Amino acid sequence: GESLVRLLESFPQPVVPFSLYRQCLESAHSFTIAKQLLSFLPPTHYNVFHYITAFLREVLTHHHQNQLTMSQLATLFGSVLL
């Protein structure tokens, strides 16, 4: 996970581009709107977002072994996603 965060930090833009940042924050209250917003991501960003969310879901399925909570993962990955 830490290697993935470092890789994502090296990119010039976060996974959700700066141009969509405000819209993303405004859609946080609605799953439907947030999901629609994903359609505005460039294809490469969308693919990376999809991969990361699948990875995070997998990490959470093993939270008893890795001691990582959803909150901790949000803190770790939030800055590279948004």
Side-chain angles (χ1 to χ4, degrees):
E2 184 178 339
S3 297
L4 180 57
V5 170
R6 287 183 186 212
L7 172 69
L8 294 169
E9 286 174 337
S10 73
F11 294 164
Q13 283 200 43
V15 176
V16 175
F18 297 122
S19 61
L20 296 175
Y21 180 81
R22 179 185 215 93
Q23 291 168 287
C24 186
L25 292 180
E26 291 171 355
S27 70
H29 68 282
S30 169
F31 176 77
T32 303
I33 295 171
K35 191 172 179 180
Q36 289 172 347
L37 185 61
L38 291 177
S39 68
F40 294 107
L41 289 177
T44 304
H45 290 242
Y46 178 84
N47 291 338
V48 170
F49 183 85
H50 182 71
Y51 171 80
I52 291 170
T53 54
F55 171 75
L56 293 175
R57 268 188 246 114
E58 184 66 22
V59 169
L60 284 173
T61 64
H62 302 284
H63 72 277
H64 293 296
Q65 291 97 352
N66 61 35
Q67 303 299 310
L68 289 170
T69 65
M70 189 182 308
S71 178
Q72 290 169 318
L73 289 173
T75 300
L76 288 170
F77 283 86
S79 64
V80 294
L81 290 175
L82 282 177

Coordinates of all heavy atoms in Angstrom, one line a residue:
G1 N 0.8 -1.2 0.0 CA 0.0 0.0 0.0 C 0.8 1.3 0.0 O 0.5 2.2 -0.7
E2 N 1.9 1.3 0.8 CA 2.7 2.5 0.9 C 3.4 2.7 -0.4 O 3.5 3.9 -0.9 CB 3.8 2.3 2.0 CG 4.7 3.5 2.2 CD 5.7 3.3 3.3 OE1 5.5 2.5 4.1 OE2 6.7 4.1 3.3
S3 N 3.8 1.7 -1.1 CA 4.5 1.9 -2.5 C 3.5 2.5 -3.4 O 3.8 3.3 -4.3 CB 5.0 0.5 -3.0 OG 6.0 0.0 -2.2
L4 N 2.2 2.0 -3.4 CA 1.2 2.6 -4.3 C 1.0 4.1 -4.0 O 0.9 4.9 -4.9 CB -0.1 1.8 -4.1 CG -1.3 2.2 -5.0 CD1 -0.9 2.2 -6.5 CD2 -2.5 1.3 -4.7
V5 N 0.9 4.4 -2.7 CA 0.7 5.8 -2.4 C 1.9 6.7 -2.9 O 1.7 7.7 -3.5 CB 0.6 6.0 -0.8 CG1 0.7 7.5 -0.4 CG2 -0.7 5.4 -0.3
R6 N 3.1 6.2 -2.7 CA 4.3 6.9 -3.2 C 4.3 7.0 -4.8 O 4.6 8.1 -5.3 CB 5.6 6.2 -2.8 CG 5.8 6.4 -1.3 CD 7.1 5.8 -0.9 NE 7.2 5.9 0.6 CZ 8.4 6.0 1.2 NH1 9.5 6.0 0.5 NH2 8.4 6.1 2.5
L7 N 3.9 6.0 -5.5 CA 3.7 6.1 -6.9 C 2.7 7.1 -7.3 O 3.0 8.0 -8.1 CB 3.3 4.7 -7.5 CG 3.0 4.7 -9.0 CD1 4.3 5.0 -9.8 CD2 2.3 3.4 -9.4
L8 N 1.6 7.1 -6.7 CA 0.5 8.1 -7.0 C 0.9 9.5 -6.6 O 0.6 10.4 -7.3 CB -0.8 7.7 -6.3 CG -1.4 6.4 -6.7 CD1 -2.5 6.0 -5.8 CD2 -1.9 6.5 -8.2
E9 N 1.7 9.7 -5.6 CA 2.2 11.0 -5.2 C 3.1 11.6 -6.3 O 3.3 12.8 -6.4 CB 2.9 10.9 -3.9 CG 2.0 10.8 -2.7 CD 2.8 10.6 -1.4 OE1 3.9 10.2 -1.4 OE2 2.1 10.9 -0.3
S10 N 3.8 10.7 -7.0 CA 4.7 11.2 -8.0 C 4.0 11.7 -9.3 O 4.7 12.3 -10.1 CB 5.7 10.0 -8.4 OG 5.1 9.0 -9.2
F11 N 2.7 11.4 -9.4 CA 2.0 11.9 -10.6 C 1.8 13.4 -10.5 O 1.6 13.9 -9.4 CB 0.7 11.1 -10.7 CG 0.8 9.7 -11.0 CD1 -0.3 8.8 -10.8 CD2 1.9 9.1 -11.5 CE1 -0.2 7.5 -11.1 CE2 2.0 7.7 -11.8 CZ 0.9 6.9 -11.6
P12 N 1.7 14.0 -11.7 CA 1.5 15.5 -11.7 C 0.1 15.9 -11.2 O 0.0 17.0 -10.6 CB 1.7 15.9 -13.1 CG 1.6 14.7 -13.9 CD 1.9 13.5 -13.0
Q13 N -0.9 15.1 -11.3 CA -2.2 15.4 -10.8 C -2.7 14.2 -10.0 O -2.3 13.1 -10.2 CB -3.2 15.6 -12.0 CG -3.1 16.9 -12.7 CD -4.4 17.2 -13.5 OE1 -5.5 17.0 -13.0 NE2 -4.2 17.7 -14.7
P14 N -3.6 14.5 -9.0 CA -4.2 13.4 -8.3 C -5.1 12.6 -9.3 O -5.4 13.0 -10.4 CB -5.0 14.0 -7.2 CG -5.1 15.5 -7.6 CD -4.1 15.8 -8.6
V15 N -5.6 11.4 -8.8 CA -6.5 10.6 -9.7 C -7.7 11.3 -10.1 O -8.1 11.3 -11.3 CB -6.8 9.3 -8.9 CG1 -7.8 8.4 -9.7 CG2 -5.6 8.5 -8.6
V16 N -8.3 12.1 -9.2 CA -9.4 13.0 -9.6 C -8.7 14.3 -9.9 O -8.2 15.0 -9.0 CB -10.4 13.1 -8.4 CG1 -11.5 14.2 -8.8 CG2 -11.1 11.8 -8.1
P17 N -8.7 14.7 -11.2 CA -8.0 15.9 -11.6 C -8.5 17.2 -10.8 O -9.6 17.3 -10.4 CB -8.3 16.1 -13.1 CG -8.8 14.7 -13.5 CD -9.4 14.1 -12.3
F18 N -7.6 18.1 -10.7 CA -7.9 19.4 -10.0 C -9.2 20.0 -10.6 O -9.9 20.6 -9.8 CB -6.7 20.4 -10.2 CG -5.4 19.9 -9.5 CD1 -4.3 19.8 -10.3 CD2 -5.4 19.6 -8.2 CE1 -3.1 19.3 -9.7 CE2 -4.2 19.1 -7.6 CZ -3.1 19.0 -8.3
S19 N -9.4 19.9 -11.9 CA -10.6 20.5 -12.5 C -11.9 19.9 -11.9 O -12.9 20.6 -12.1 CB -10.5 20.3 -14.0 OG -10.5 18.9 -14.3
L20 N -11.9 18.7 -11.4 CA -13.1 18.1 -10.8 C -13.1 18.1 -9.3 O -14.1 17.6 -8.7 CB -13.2 16.7 -11.3 CG -13.4 16.5 -12.8 CD1 -13.3 15.0 -13.2 CD2 -14.7 17.1 -13.3
Y21 N -12.1 18.7 -8.7 CA -12.0 18.7 -7.2 C -13.3 19.3 -6.5 O -13.9 18.6 -5.7 CB -10.8 19.5 -6.8 CG -10.6 19.5 -5.3 CD1 -10.0 18.5 -4.6 CD2 -11.0 20.6 -4.5 CE1 -9.8 18.5 -3.3 CE2 -10.8 20.7 -3.2 CZ -10.2 19.6 -2.5 OH -10.0 19.6 -1.2
R22 N -13.7 20.5 -6.9 CA -14.8 21.1 -6.3 C -16.1 20.3 -6.5 O -16.9 20.1 -5.5 CB -15.0 22.5 -6.8 CG -16.2 23.3 -6.3 CD -16.4 24.6 -6.9 NE -16.8 25.6 -6.0 CZ -16.1 26.4 -5.3 NH1 -14.8 26.4 -5.5 NH2 -16.6 27.3 -4.5
Q23 N -16.3 19.8 -7.7 CA -17.5 19.0 -8.0 C -17.5 17.7 -7.1 O -18.5 17.3 -6.7 CB -17.6 18.7 -9.4 CG -17.9 19.8 -10.3 CD -17.6 19.5 -11.8 OE1 -16.5 19.3 -12.2 NE2 -18.7 19.3 -12.5
C24 N -16.3 17.2 -7.0 CA -16.2 15.9 -6.2 C -16.6 16.2 -4.7 O -17.4 15.4 -4.1 CB -14.8 15.4 -6.3 SG -14.6 13.8 -5.5
L25 N -16.1 17.2 -4.1 CA -16.5 17.6 -2.8 C -17.9 17.9 -2.6 O -18.6 17.5 -1.6 CB -15.6 18.8 -2.3 CG -14.1 18.5 -2.1 CD1 -13.4 19.8 -1.6 CD2 -13.9 17.4 -1.2
E26 N -18.5 18.6 -3.6 CA -19.9 18.9 -3.5 C -20.8 17.6 -3.7 O -22.0 17.6 -3.2 CB -20.3 19.9 -4.6 CG -19.7 21.3 -4.3 CD -19.8 22.3 -5.5 OE1 -20.3 21.9 -6.5 OE2 -19.4 23.4 -5.3
S27 N -20.3 16.6 -4.3 CA -21.1 15.4 -4.5 C -20.9 14.4 -3.4 O -21.5 13.3 -3.5 CB -20.7 14.8 -5.9 OG -19.4 14.2 -5.8
A28 N -20.1 14.7 -2.4 CA -19.9 13.7 -1.4 C -21.1 13.2 -0.6 O -21.1 12.1 -0.1 CB -18.9 14.3 -0.4
H29 N -22.2 14.0 -0.6 CA -23.4 13.6 0.1 C -24.3 12.7 -0.7 O -25.2 12.1 -0.1 CB -24.2 14.9 0.4 CG -24.7 15.6 -0.8 ND1 -24.0 16.3 -1.6 CD2 -26.0 15.5 -1.4 CE1 -24.7 16.8 -2.7 NE2 -25.9 16.3 -2.5
S30 N -24.0 12.5 -2.0 CA -24.8 11.7 -2.8 C -24.0 10.6 -3.6 O -23.2 11.0 -4.5 CB -25.6 12.5 -3.8 OG -26.2 11.8 -4.8
F31 N -24.3 9.4 -3.3 CA -23.6 8.3 -4.1 C -23.9 8.4 -5.6 O -23.0 8.2 -6.4 CB -24.0 6.9 -3.5 CG -23.4 5.8 -4.3 CD1 -22.1 5.4 -4.1 CD2 -24.2 5.1 -5.2 CE1 -21.5 4.4 -4.8 CE2 -23.7 4.0 -5.9 CZ -22.3 3.7 -5.7
T32 N -25.1 8.6 -5.9 CA -25.5 8.7 -7.3 C -24.8 9.8 -8.0 O -24.3 9.6 -9.1 CB -27.1 8.9 -7.4 OG1 -27.7 7.9 -6.7 CG2 -27.5 8.9 -8.9
I33 N -24.7 11.0 -7.5 CA -24.0 12.1 -8.1 C -22.5 11.8 -8.2 O -21.9 12.1 -9.2 CB -24.3 13.4 -7.4 CG1 -25.8 13.8 -7.5 CG2 -23.4 14.5 -7.9 CD1 -26.2 14.9 -6.6
A34 N -22.0 11.3 -7.1 CA -20.5 10.9 -7.1 C -20.2 9.9 -8.2 O -19.2 10.0 -8.9 CB -20.1 10.4 -5.7
K35 N -21.1 8.9 -8.4 CA -20.9 7.9 -9.4 C -21.0 8.6 -10.8 O -20.2 8.2 -11.7 CB -21.9 6.8 -9.2 CG -21.6 5.6 -10.1 CD -22.6 4.5 -9.8 CE -22.3 3.3 -10.6 NZ -23.1 2.2 -10.4
Q36 N -21.9 9.5 -11.0 CA -22.0 10.2 -12.3 C -20.7 11.0 -12.5 O -20.3 11.1 -13.7 CB -23.2 11.1 -12.3 CG -24.5 10.4 -12.4 CD -25.7 11.3 -12.2 OE1 -25.6 12.4 -11.8 NE2 -26.9 10.8 -12.5
L37 N -20.2 11.6 -11.5 CA -19.0 12.4 -11.7 C -17.8 11.5 -12.2 O -17.0 12.1 -12.9 CB -18.6 13.0 -10.3 CG -17.4 14.0 -10.3 CD1 -17.7 15.2 -11.2 CD2 -17.2 14.5 -8.9
L38 N -17.8 10.3 -11.9 CA -16.7 9.4 -12.4 C -16.7 9.3 -13.9 O -15.6 9.1 -14.5 CB -16.9 8.0 -11.8 CG -16.6 7.8 -10.3 CD1 -16.9 6.4 -9.9 CD2 -15.2 8.2 -10.0
S39 N -17.8 9.5 -14.5 CA -17.9 9.5 -16.0 C -17.1 10.7 -16.6 O -16.8 10.6 -17.8 CB -19.3 9.5 -16.5 OG -19.9 10.7 -16.2
F40 N -16.8 11.7 -15.8 CA -16.0 12.8 -16.3 C -14.5 12.7 -16.2 O -13.8 13.5 -16.7 CB -16.5 14.1 -15.6 CG -17.9 14.5 -15.9 CD1 -18.9 14.4 -15.0 CD2 -18.2 15.1 -17.2 CE1 -20.2 14.7 -15.2 CE2 -19.5 15.4 -17.4 CZ -20.5 15.3 -16.5
L41 N -14.1 11.6 -15.5 CA -12.7 11.4 -15.4 C -12.1 10.9 -16.7 O -12.7 10.2 -17.5 CB -12.4 10.2 -14.4 CG -12.7 10.5 -12.9 CD1 -12.4 9.2 -12.1 CD2 -11.8 11.6 -12.4
P42 N -10.9 11.4 -17.0 CA -10.2 10.9 -18.2 C -10.1 9.4 -18.1 O -10.0 8.8 -17.0 CB -8.8 11.6 -18.2 CG -9.0 12.8 -17.3 CD -10.1 12.4 -16.3
P43 N -10.1 8.7 -19.2 CA -10.0 7.2 -19.2 C -8.9 6.6 -18.3 O -9.2 5.7 -17.5 CB -9.9 6.8 -20.6 CG -10.5 7.9 -21.4 CD -10.2 9.1 -20.6
T44 N -7.7 7.1 -18.4 CA -6.6 6.6 -17.6 C -6.9 6.9 -16.1 O -6.7 6.0 -15.3 CB -5.3 7.3 -18.0 OG1 -5.1 7.1 -19.4 CG2 -4.1 6.7 -17.2
H45 N -7.4 8.0 -15.7 CA -7.7 8.3 -14.3 C -8.8 7.4 -13.8 O -8.8 6.9 -12.7 CB -8.1 9.8 -14.2 CG -7.0 10.8 -14.4 ND1 -6.6 11.6 -13.4 CD2 -6.2 11.0 -15.5 CE1 -5.6 12.4 -13.8 NE2 -5.4 12.0 -15.1
Y46 N -9.8 7.2 -14.7 CA -10.9 6.3 -14.3 C -10.4 4.9 -14.0 O -10.8 4.3 -13.0 CB -12.0 6.2 -15.4 CG -13.1 5.3 -15.1 CD1 -14.2 5.7 -14.3 CD2 -13.1 4.0 -15.5 CE1 -15.2 4.8 -13.9 CE2 -14.1 3.1 -15.1 CZ -15.2 3.5 -14.4 OH -16.2 2.7 -14.0
N47 N -9.5 4.4 -14.9 CA -9.0 3.0 -14.7 C -8.1 3.0 -13.4 O -8.2 2.0 -12.7 CB -8.1 2.6 -15.9 CG -8.9 2.4 -17.1 OD1 -10.1 2.1 -17.1 ND2 -8.3 2.5 -18.3
V48 N -7.3 4.0 -13.1 CA -6.6 4.0 -11.9 C -7.5 4.0 -10.7 O -7.3 3.3 -9.7 CB -5.6 5.2 -11.9 CG1 -4.9 5.3 -10.5 CG2 -4.5 5.0 -13.0
F49 N -8.5 4.9 -10.8 CA -9.5 5.0 -9.7 C -10.2 3.6 -9.4 O -10.3 3.2 -8.3 CB -10.6 6.0 -10.0 CG -11.6 6.2 -8.9 CD1 -11.3 7.1 -7.9 CD2 -12.8 5.5 -8.9 CE1 -12.2 7.3 -6.8 CE2 -13.7 5.7 -7.9 CZ -13.4 6.6 -6.8
H50 N -10.6 3.0 -10.5 CA -11.2 1.7 -10.4 C -10.2 0.6 -9.7 O -10.6 -0.1 -8.8 CB -11.7 1.2 -11.7 CG -12.4 -0.1 -11.7 ND1 -13.6 -0.3 -11.2 CD2 -12.0 -1.4 -12.1 CE1 -14.0 -1.6 -11.3 NE2 -13.0 -2.2 -11.8
Y51 N -9.0 0.6 -10.1 CA -8.0 -0.3 -9.6 C -7.8 0.0 -8.1 O -7.8 -0.9 -7.3 CB -6.7 -0.1 -10.3 CG -5.6 -0.9 -9.7 CD1 -5.4 -2.3 -9.8 CD2 -4.7 -0.3 -8.8 CE1 -4.4 -3.0 -9.2 CE2 -3.7 -1.0 -8.2 CZ -3.5 -2.3 -8.4 OH -2.6 -3.0 -7.7
I52 N -7.6 1.3 -7.7 CA -7.4 1.6 -6.3 C -8.5 1.2 -5.5 O -8.3 0.7 -4.4 CB -7.0 3.1 -6.2 CG1 -5.7 3.4 -6.8 CG2 -7.0 3.5 -4.7 CD1 -5.4 4.9 -7.0
T53 N -9.8 1.5 -5.9 CA -10.9 1.2 -5.1 C -11.0 -0.4 -4.9 O -11.4 -0.8 -3.8 CB -12.2 1.7 -5.6 OG1 -12.4 1.4 -7.0 CG2 -12.2 3.3 -5.5
A54 N -10.7 -1.1 -5.9 CA -10.7 -2.6 -5.8 C -9.6 -3.0 -4.8 O -9.9 -3.9 -4.0 CB -10.5 -3.2 -7.2
F55 N -8.4 -2.4 -4.9 CA -7.4 -2.7 -4.0 C -7.8 -2.4 -2.5 O -7.6 -3.2 -1.6 CB -6.1 -1.9 -4.4 CG -5.0 -2.0 -3.4 CD1 -4.2 -3.2 -3.2 CD2 -4.7 -0.9 -2.6 CE1 -3.2 -3.2 -2.3 CE2 -3.7 -1.0 -1.6 CZ -2.9 -2.2 -1.5
L56 N -8.4 -1.3 -2.3 CA -8.8 -0.9 -1.0 C -9.9 -1.8 -0.4 O -9.9 -2.1 0.8 CB -9.2 0.6 -1.0 CG -8.1 1.6 -1.3 CD1 -8.7 3.0 -1.3 CD2 -7.0 1.6 -0.2
R57 N -10.8 -2.2 -1.3 CA -11.8 -3.2 -0.8 C -11.1 -4.5 -0.4 O -11.5 -5.0 0.6 CB -12.8 -3.5 -2.0 CG -14.0 -2.6 -2.0 CD -15.0 -3.0 -3.0 NE -15.1 -2.0 -4.0 CZ -14.8 -2.1 -5.2 NH1 -14.4 -3.2 -5.7 NH2 -14.8 -1.1 -6.1
E58 N -10.2 -4.9 -1.1 CA -9.4 -6.1 -0.8 C -8.7 -6.0 0.6 O -8.7 -6.8 1.4 CB -8.5 -6.5 -1.9 CG -7.7 -7.8 -1.6 CD -8.7 -9.0 -1.6 OE1 -9.8 -9.0 -2.2 OE2 -8.2 -10.1 -1.0
V59 N -8.0 -4.8 0.7 CA -7.3 -4.5 2.0 C -8.3 -4.6 3.2 O -8.0 -5.1 4.2 CB -6.6 -3.2 1.9 CG1 -6.1 -2.8 3.3 CG2 -5.4 -3.3 0.9
L60 N -9.5 -4.0 3.0 CA -10.5 -3.9 4.1 C -11.0 -5.3 4.4 O -11.4 -5.6 5.5 CB -11.6 -3.0 3.7 CG -11.3 -1.5 3.8 CD1 -12.4 -0.6 3.3 CD2 -10.9 -1.2 5.3
T61 N -11.0 -6.2 3.4 CA -11.5 -7.6 3.7 C -10.6 -8.3 4.7 O -11.0 -9.3 5.3 CB -11.7 -8.4 2.5 OG1 -10.5 -8.6 1.8 CG2 -12.7 -7.8 1.5
H62 N -9.4 -7.8 4.8 CA -8.4 -8.4 5.7 C -8.0 -7.5 6.8 O -6.9 -7.6 7.4 CB -7.1 -8.8 4.9 CG -7.4 -9.7 3.7 ND1 -7.6 -11.0 3.9 CD2 -7.5 -9.4 2.4 CE1 -7.8 -11.6 2.7 NE2 -7.7 -10.6 1.8
H63 N -8.9 -6.6 7.2 CA -8.6 -5.7 8.3 C -8.3 -6.3 9.6 O -7.5 -5.7 10.4 CB -9.8 -4.6 8.4 CG -11.0 -5.2 9.1 ND1 -11.9 -5.9 8.4 CD2 -11.4 -5.1 10.4 CE1 -12.9 -6.2 9.2 NE2 -12.6 -5.8 10.4
H64 N -8.7 -7.5 9.9 CA -8.4 -8.1 11.2 C -6.9 -8.5 11.2 O -6.3 -8.5 12.2 CB -9.2 -9.4 11.4 CG -10.7 -9.0 11.6 ND1 -11.1 -8.3 12.7 CD2 -11.8 -9.3 10.9 CE1 -12.4 -8.1 12.7 NE2 -12.9 -8.7 11.6
Q65 N -6.3 -8.9 10.0 CA -4.9 -9.2 10.0 C -4.0 -8.0 9.8 O -3.0 -7.9 10.4 CB -4.6 -10.2 8.8 CG -5.2 -11.5 8.9 CD -6.6 -11.7 8.2 OE1 -7.1 -10.7 7.7 NE2 -7.1 -12.9 8.1
N66 N -4.4 -7.0 9.0 CA -3.5 -5.9 8.7 C -3.8 -4.7 9.6 O -3.0 -3.7 9.6 CB -3.6 -5.5 7.2 CG -5.0 -5.0 6.9 OD1 -5.8 -4.4 7.6 ND2 -5.4 -5.3 5.6
Q67 N -4.8 -4.8 10.5 CA -5.1 -3.7 11.4 C -5.4 -2.3 10.8 O -5.2 -1.3 11.4 CB -4.0 -3.6 12.5 CG -3.7 -4.9 13.2 CD -4.9 -5.4 14.0 OE1 -5.5 -4.6 14.8 NE2 -5.2 -6.6 13.9
L68 N -5.8 -2.3 9.5 CA -6.1 -1.1 8.9 C -7.6 -0.9 8.8 O -8.4 -1.7 8.4 CB -5.5 -1.0 7.4 CG -4.0 -0.9 7.3 CD1 -3.6 -1.2 5.9 CD2 -3.6 0.4 7.8
T69 N -8.1 0.3 9.3 CA -9.5 0.6 9.2 C -9.8 1.5 8.0 O -8.9 2.0 7.3 CB -9.9 1.5 10.5 OG1 -9.2 2.7 10.4 CG2 -9.5 0.7 11.8
M70 N -11.1 1.6 7.7 CA -11.5 2.4 6.6 C -11.0 3.9 6.8 O -10.5 4.5 5.8 CB -13.0 2.4 6.5 CG -13.5 3.1 5.2 SD -15.3 3.1 5.0 CE -15.8 1.4 5.3
S71 N -11.1 4.4 8.0 CA -10.6 5.7 8.3 C -9.1 5.9 8.0 O -8.7 6.9 7.4 CB -11.0 6.1 9.7 OG -10.5 7.4 10.1
Q72 N -8.3 4.9 8.4 CA -6.9 5.0 8.2 C -6.6 5.0 6.7 O -5.7 5.7 6.2 CB -6.2 3.8 8.9 CG -6.2 4.0 10.4 CD -5.7 2.7 11.1 OE1 -6.1 1.6 10.7 NE2 -4.9 2.9 12.1
L73 N -7.3 4.1 5.9 CA -7.1 4.1 4.5 C -7.5 5.3 3.8 O -6.8 5.8 2.9 CB -7.8 2.9 3.9 CG -7.2 1.5 4.3 CD1 -8.1 0.4 3.7 CD2 -5.8 1.3 3.7
A74 N -8.6 5.9 4.3 CA -9.0 7.2 3.7 C -8.0 8.3 3.9 O -7.7 9.1 3.1 CB -10.4 7.6 4.3
T75 N -7.4 8.3 5.1 CA -6.3 9.3 5.4 C -5.1 9.0 4.5 O -4.5 10.0 4.0 CB -5.9 9.2 6.9 OG1 -7.0 9.4 7.7 CG2 -4.8 10.2 7.2
L76 N -4.7 7.8 4.3 CA -3.6 7.5 3.5 C -3.7 7.8 2.0 O -2.9 8.3 1.4 CB -3.2 6.0 3.7 CG -2.6 5.5 5.0 CD1 -2.5 4.0 5.0 CD2 -1.2 6.1 5.2
F77 N -4.9 7.4 1.5 CA -5.1 7.5 0.1 C -5.9 8.8 -0.3 O -5.9 9.1 -1.5 CB -5.9 6.3 -0.4 CG -5.0 5.1 -0.6 CD1 -4.7 4.3 0.5 CD2 -4.3 4.8 -1.8 CE1 -3.9 3.2 0.4 CE2 -3.5 3.8 -1.9 CZ -3.3 2.9 -0.8
G78 N -6.5 9.5 0.6 CA -7.3 10.6 0.3 C -6.5 11.7 -0.5 O -7.0 12.3 -1.5
S79 N -5.4 12.0 -0.1 CA -4.6 13.1 -0.7 C -4.1 12.7 -2.1 O -3.8 13.6 -2.9 CB -3.4 13.5 0.2 OG -2.5 12.4 0.3
V80 N -4.0 11.5 -2.4 CA -3.6 11.1 -3.8 C -4.8 10.9 -4.7 O -4.6 10.9 -5.9 CB -2.6 9.9 -3.8 CG1 -1.3 10.2 -3.1 CG2 -3.2 8.7 -3.2
L81 N -5.9 10.7 -4.1 CA -7.1 10.5 -5.0 C -7.7 11.9 -5.3 O -8.2 12.1 -6.4 CB -8.2 9.7 -4.2 CG -7.8 8.2 -4.1 CD1 -8.9 7.5 -3.2 CD2 -7.7 7.5 -5.4
L82 N -7.7 12.8 -4.4 CA -8.3 14.1 -4.6 C -7.2 15.2 -4.6 O -6.4 15.3 -3.7 CB -9.3 14.5 -3.5 CG -10.7 13.9 -3.7 CD1 -11.5 14.3 -2.5 CD2 -11.3 14.3 -4.9

